[in-house]
Every structure is written in structure tokens, then in C-alpha cells.
Amino acid sequence: MTHFPAPRRLGGLLFGGLLALLLIGVAAFGPLERYYQRQMAAQNQVPLNLAVESLRSALDRYAPLPALIAERPALGQLLSTPDDAVLQANVNEQLRQTATTVDASDVFLMDITGRTIAAATYRQPGSYLGRNFSYQSYFSQALGGGLSSFSIHGTTTGERGYFYAAPVEDGDRIVGVLAVKFNINAFESIWRGADSDFIVSDRNAFVFMSSRPDWHFRALRPLSEQTLRVIAQNRQYPIDRIDLLPITATDIGDDVQLIRIEGETSSEPFVMASVQLEETDWTMASLMPIAPARNQALQTLALFGLTALLLLAGFGIYRQTQARLAAEQRAKRELETAVAARTADLSTALGDLKRTQTDLIQAGKLNALGQMSASLSHEFNQPLAAVKSYADNAAAFLDRDRPEEARENITRISQMADRMATISKHLRNFARRPQQAVGPLLLNTVVQDALAVIAVRLKSSSAAFEYDTPKGNIWVIGGHVRLQQVIVNLLTNALDAAEESPFPRVTLTIDGTVLTVRDSGPGIGDDVKEKLFDPFFTTKSAGKGMGLGLSISYNIVTDFGGALTAENHEEGGAQFTLTLQPAQEQGIAAQ
Ligand code: ADP
């Protein structure tokens, strides 16, 4: 048999399971979150590359512009005659139109000293017109013969610009520099609305472009003294506004870092993926908020936890069901064993009972037989002894020649013989319950005949006898002689009992088919009641009763389908009730 844990042990098991789940969850969360962060970075690689490409293509698209514009003859003319106001106005206007066409924020012409002599923004306040940019690296590079160059600026207008510059040549001679300025905002607008933030930093880790304005002009790492000096020198960035963007970074993959940017009030965590733009020495980075990775990790854990819980619960329910089934099986087996044991007990008890019953019947039979033998031997011995003594007497009287006395004794012997014959007849009646026919009888007649049988006894008795003859004819089922025998018996017993009382009286009543015999005797004692109808039961002295009357009467009445009962009357004395079956009225009474 498989052993299943009890429900309490099961509870412990489940609790242990839950605890293990919790520990697994706590331990697994970190690696899982890392995994989703790397996934996120991988997914973000495509939009990052697209952004890099769009930046690169913009740079490439605008790069040849200054060289093309620089070839215009008017520029050379103005450079050679810078004081020609008409020409200057003409060039200014040309540059303005060009700027509008190529969507540049400015197009301007500088002479060999770096002074601006014409600009597209000539009409606007704060125009570069007249200002000297000789310190700018793009100027010096262009002057050096470079086809084009670019840089970032924010010092003059506070606006971040992207500059391309090309030399203006007159034959082999460089006579000036033409520069085109683009607004960086235009590049940044490409990234607007993206899920992640972007940063473009230069080789000094200086952030000059970002989807987040608060990160502009900030450094991702501390700038060295020398770098700061260079920046100050060519006024590339507003040195006074440069400050550090506090970042802590952890590598979590190739070109993927988990960074935390400390803000003024809180710190923001990001997953950062970066790409290098070799030609410009720039780095473009995308910064993804980590919340989705965290949520995904939590969801995965929750899903795992839920599945594990379900499995655990299922397992628990399974074990519990098994335990319950096993317990039920056990209980059933115990019940079956108990029932089998009880059944065995019962059948043993039944066997005992049967044996006892058999024993009792046997004992009862023996008892009855004993009573009968005693009674019979008494009944016969007494007249036999008398017969012997009368015979002896008769013989003696004959010897003495006294025939009269001898005859008298012989007559007595004859009487004794009659008595013994009567006893014998009783016994025969008892032994053989004659299956005589029963039929309708006129109860009135039967009672009359019975009274006639005991007429002598009634007359000689000290008891008063009362009998109200019934008004009409009462027809009952029975046999005439046997019913008469029953009535005689009841009346004789009543007379016997009544004669012992101070005011002896016997009353016979007929009410319908119910015949009652009441007497003024001592009534039926409790010990007698049970044995009243038993054969050979008698309280009378030897020779007066054999104890067969009521037993025979009872059987006769039962044969008739009637009933015979005995009880004590509430005013004293016994009362026997004989209830007979009513019969249809007949023409002649059955005999
Ligand atoms: P018997 O008259 O020969 O004794 P019965 O069978 O007629 O036999 O009666 C059995 C016994 O029932 C009697 O011995 C007597 O004790 C009791 N008995 C019968 N009739 C009466 C009665 N009317 N009052 C009191 N006892 C009675």
C-alpha cells in the first residue's frame, strides 16, 4: 500500500513549496531582468542604427554645399572689392535665397582674416555680418585647403549649430571662406516621439545633441584641463555652461550598459546601447527606460510562480484526494471487518438462541410429560388402590357370608372403573384433537344443554347462579358437543372458585357472540396467569382436577376460529371471555 502524507504534513509541504518559490523568485529576478534588458537593447539596435544612418546621410548631404556655393563668381568679386556696397547687397541677397533653398540657418562669407563680409541673415539682428571667426576650427581648416569641415558652436547665439566650410579660391589662391550653418534642432527632430532617448556625444564625451534638452552641453565624463583649454580657445562650446552629467554605468553586454543618471531629485536608470560614427568620432547612444524590462521580468516570474502554484496546488489536491481515498478504503475495510465480526457474533448468538430454544422446548416437553405422568399415576393409583381395597372387602364379606356388603363393595369397584374410564376419555380427547366439522350453531341451545349437564352441580352448589337468557337467537361457528364441553368447563371452574368465597356467585352473560363467565372467587394469581391454559396445570387437590380443562377448551375455541381469554374483574373474582365467530342464521341447529 502506498503511504500518503496526512493533511497536516501536506500543509507543511505546500508551505515549503511556497517558500522555495519565493526564494527562487527573489534569486531569479536579477538575472531575468538583465536578460530582458539585453533583449531590449537588441531590439532597439534597429531604430538606433536607423537614427545613426539618418544623421550620417544628413551630414553627407550637406557636406558638398559650401564648396558648390563658394564657386560663385560674385563671392570672389566681393572678396576683392569688399567695399562695393551694391555688390555686397547683391551677395547678401544671393546667400539669403540659397539658405532658404537648402534649409540652412545661415550661409556666410568670410575674408581671409576671418571677418564676415556677407551673410544670409544680413537683415536679422545678431547677424554674423562684420564678426570675425578666425578662431573657429572650421575657418582655419577651410583656410588650410580642406574641402569642407564642420564643428559645433553655441557661444555666439547660444544656439547649437552645425557648420560646413569651404575655401573660396581665386585661381590657386584662397581668398576667403564660405560657411553654411545648420540648426541642430532639425536633426534632433528626427528622434522625437521615439520610445527611447538619444544622445550624440563627441570624442570628449560631450553631449551636443540629445532628445532631452536638459542633457545638452553636458559631459558624460569629466573633461581634462587640456580639453577644456581647446574648447575655450576655439569657443566650440559655452565653457561656462559645461557641467557633468552624473552617470554610473555597468556593462551588461557588447556596447550595452546599464546606466543611472542622477537628476536633481531622483536618479533615472536606463539601458544604454551605443554606436560609433567613425568619420566624425561621435558616439550615438539610445537610452531605454528599464521599466519595461523590469515589468517583463516580473510578469515572467508571476507567470512562473502562478504555474508553479497551480502545479503545487494540483499536486496538493492530488495527494489529499489520494489520502482521502486511502482513508476511505481503510474505513471501508474496517467497517467490513466490523460487520463481518458482528455478523459472526450474531450468527453465533442465533445458533445459541436456537440451541437454547430447542433445549427449552425439550425441557418444556419433559416438564409436561413429567406433570402428565405424575398426574396420571395419581389419577389412576388412587382409584386402583380403592378398587383393591373394595375387592378385598368384598372377598372378606363373601367369606363371612355377607353378600349384601360384598355387593356394595363391588358396586364401588364398578364406580371406580367408571371414573377411570372418564379420565381415560379426557386423555383421549386431549391426545387426539378431533378434526370434527365446524358449522353454524345456535348458541342459545348449546348453553341450555351445558346448563342441563351441570344442573345437579348447580343445584347442590352454595353459589348463586345468574344467567339472563339472550333475547334473540345467536348463531355462531363451532361444534355443538365441543362448545358445550367448553362452557361446562368454564362454569365448573367458576363454581369451584366461587365456592371458596364468603358470598359465592357465578354470572353467565351473553352479549352478541361473546360469552362471559364471571365468579366471586379469589381470581387468578399472577403466578398462575401464565400457565392457566397449559395442559396438566392445576392448583386443585388430587382427584379434583387434572389441569386439562382450560387447555382442551383453548384448543377447541381456537379450532372454531374464536378466542378464549382470562382476566381478573376489577371488583374481584375471575372473568373468562369466550369470543366466537358469528354465523348466518340457519334453519336447524347443527349437532
Ligand atoms: P382443573 O380445573 O382441573 O384444575 P383447568 O385447566 O380447568 O384444570 O384449570 C386450571 C387451573 O386454572 C385451575 O387449577 C385453577 O387454579 C385455575 N382456574 C381455573 N378457573 C379458575 C377460576 N374461575 N378462578 C380461579 N382460578 C381458576
Side-chain angles (χ1 to χ4, degrees):
M1 196 192 89
T2 328
H3 178 73
F4 292 103
R8 190 171 300 176
R9 255 187 76 194
L10 204 69
L13 214 78
L14 286 179
F15 180 74
L18 277 179
L19 203 72
L21 265 183
L22 205 72
L23 288 178
I24 290 173
V26 168
F29 183 72
L32 207 62
E33 194 187 18
R34 257 322 110 73
Y35 168 76
Y36 280 117
Q37 285 168 352
R38 275 194 293 272
Q39 285 276 100
M40 215 161 71
Q43 280 167 14
N44 211 45
Q45 202 62 45
V46 177
L48 177 63
N49 286 340
L50 279 176
V52 167
E53 279 317 307
S54 74
L55 182 59
R56 193 175 271 150
S57 71
L59 294 177
D60 291 350
R61 197 163 58 245
Y62 295 128
L65 266 177
L68 283 174
I69 300 166
E71 280 174 11
R72 291 189 187 158
L75 302 189
Q77 285 169 17
L78 184 62
L79 281 168
S80 55
T81 54
D83 298 328
D84 185 337
V86 177
L87 185 59
Q88 193 193 27
N90 184 18
V91 171
N92 275 344
E93 188 50 28
Q94 269 191 39
L95 295 181
R96 193 190 64 79
Q97 281 173 11
T98 306
T100 310
T101 311
V102 300
D103 201 18
S105 61
D106 207 350
V107 180
F108 53 102
L109 180 68
M110 289 158 282
D111 65 15
I112 200 82
T113 66
R115 191 175 63 92
T116 307
I117 58 166
T121 56
Y122 68 99
R123 284 193 237 158
Q124 293 167 17
S127 164
Y128 289 161
L129 212 56
R131 291 177 56 181
N132 193 302
F133 292 115
S134 59
Y135 59 86
Q136 286 289 358
S137 60
Y138 60 80
F139 176 78
S140 44
Q141 276 175 29
L143 214 55
L147 272 180
S148 63
S149 58
F150 40 80
S151 188
I152 303 304
H153 207 283
T155 47
T156 315
T157 55
E159 186 183 73
R160 288 164 308 139
Y162 184 62
F163 296 82
Y164 290 95
V168 182
E169 290 164 355
D170 180 12
D172 290 341
R173 219 159 39 89
I174 293 173
V175 290
V177 170
L178 184 99
V180 179
K181 179 193 173 192
F182 293 98
N183 194 335
I184 272 184
N185 293 343
F187 296 114
E188 285 176 344
S189 66
I190 299 170
W191 309 319
R192 226 149 270 156
D195 287 340
S196 46
D197 285 313
F198 279 86
I199 279 178
V200 183
S201 53
D202 64 11
R203 70 169 72 83
N204 298 318
F206 185 86
V207 179
F208 60 89
M209 280 193 216
S210 172
S211 54
R212 291 267 297 258
D214 54 327
W215 293 341
H216 292 163
F217 296 118
R218 301 188 74 175
L220 295 177
R221 59 169 187 261
L223 300 180
S224 69
E225 281 298 319
Q226 202 201 329
T227 311
L228 283 173
R229 239 191 339 269
V230 173
I231 291 171
Q233 201 182 343
N234 58 24
R235 300 186 219 170
Q236 192 178 9
Y237 305 124
I239 201 95
D240 54 321
R241 283 179 59 191
I242 292 175
D243 81 57
L244 200 64
L245 193 61
I247 281 184
T248 48
T250 325
D251 284 337
I252 57 167
D254 292 341
D255 288 329
V256 180
Q257 286 180 308
L258 187 66
I259 64 160
R260 195 167 269 284
I261 297 182
E262 306 296 333
E264 275 172 15
T265 49
S266 61
S267 74
E268 274 182 276
F270 294 97
V271 174
M272 187 171 87
S274 41
V275 172
Q276 299 280 335
L277 278 85
E278 276 132 29
E279 59 276 41
T280 52
D281 232 353
W282 292 353
T283 303
M284 186 162 196
S286 84
L287 281 80
M288 296 149 275
I290 66 158
R294 174 162 293 173
N295 289 345
Q296 227 164 347
L298 280 174
Q299 273 171 17
T300 306
L301 272 185
L303 202 70
F304 166 76
L306 212 67
T307 313
L309 266 180
L310 277 177
L311 282 175
L312 211 65
F315 176 72
I317 289 168
Y318 168 76
R319 297 294 286 252
Q320 217 161 17
T321 312
Q322 290 296 330
R324 192 169 44 76
L325 284 179
E328 274 174 14
Q329 283 286 334
R330 241 184 343 263
K332 202 174 140 196
R333 267 196 300 280
E334 277 165 14
L335 191 68
E336 278 169 355
T337 315
V339 167
R342 199 53 61 79
T343 310
D345 284 356
L346 274 178
S347 61
T348 311
L350 203 66
D352 287 353
L353 196 66
K354 270 191 182 149
R355 259 192 305 283
T356 312
Q357 200 182 24
T358 318
D359 289 353
L360 276 176
I361 290 168
Q362 202 58 30
K365 277 182 187 166
L366 287 174
N367 196 23
L369 196 64
Q371 278 184 359
M372 189 179 77
S373 312
S375 183
L376 281 181
S377 73
H378 183 86
E379 286 298 315
F380 285 105
N381 277 345
Q382 199 256 346
L384 276 175
V387 163
K388 175 148 177 43
S389 104
Y390 289 142
D392 289 347
N393 287 349
F397 282 128
L398 281 177
D399 286 345
R400 287 186 225 145
D401 203 17
R402 289 162 64 176
E404 282 309 310
E405 281 93 340
R407 180 179 297 276
E408 198 181 313
N409 275 293
I410 289 166
T411 309
R412 292 245 170 91
I413 289 172
S414 176
Q415 284 170 350
M416 285 299 141
D418 285 345
R419 187 175 158 192
M420 280 163 35
T422 313
I423 293 167
S424 161
K425 193 179 144 208
H426 264 305
L427 282 174
R428 208 175 54 235
N429 275 349
F430 178 72
R432 289 190 283 123
R433 279 173 62 187
Q435 291 295 313
Q436 291 162 4
V438 291
L441 297 174
L442 193 57
L443 184 59
N444 314 52
T445 321
V446 180
V447 174
Q448 284 306 328
D449 290 352
L451 290 177
V453 171
I454 59 160
V456 181
R457 171 80 198 269
L458 279 173
K459 210 169 264 177
S460 63
S461 175
S462 58
F465 178 69
E466 289 175 8
Y467 169 53
D468 284 336
T469 41
K471 296 275 156 9
N473 287 341
I474 296 165
W475 290 88
V476 295
I477 299 288
H480 189 100
V481 178
R482 283 175 292 160
L483 183 54
Q484 178 188 311
Q485 190 185 344
V486 172
I487 296 166
V488 166
N489 194 264
L490 291 178
L491 287 172
T492 313
N493 276 345
L495 287 170
D496 285 346
E499 281 162 4
E500 293 174 26
S501 65
F503 304 103
R505 175 182 299 273
V506 170
T507 314
L508 171 64
T509 322
I510 295 175
D511 183 8
T513 61
V514 179
L515 183 146
T516 316
V517 179
R518 184 188 160 195
D519 63 62
S520 60
I524 304 151
D526 284 342
D527 51 334
V528 173
K529 231 174 225 168
E530 289 172 7
K531 305 175 235 169
L532 205 59
F533 296 103
D534 286 356
F536 301 108
F537 172 77
T538 179
T539 57
K540 292 170 188 171
S541 55
K544 277 211 83 176
M546 273 186 71
L548 287 173
L550 283 180
S551 169
I552 291 169
S553 297
Y554 186 89
N555 287 327
I556 289 171
V557 174
T558 309
D559 284 346
F560 293 168
L564 179 61
T565 57
E567 68 253 308
N568 285 319
H569 194 272
E570 51 193 19
E571 287 168 20
Q575 177 169 298
F576 283 79
T577 307
L578 168 62
T579 311
L580 292 161
Q581 296 259 38
Q584 290 290 315
E585 193 170 327
Q586 303 289 313
I588 327 149
Q591 288 300 305

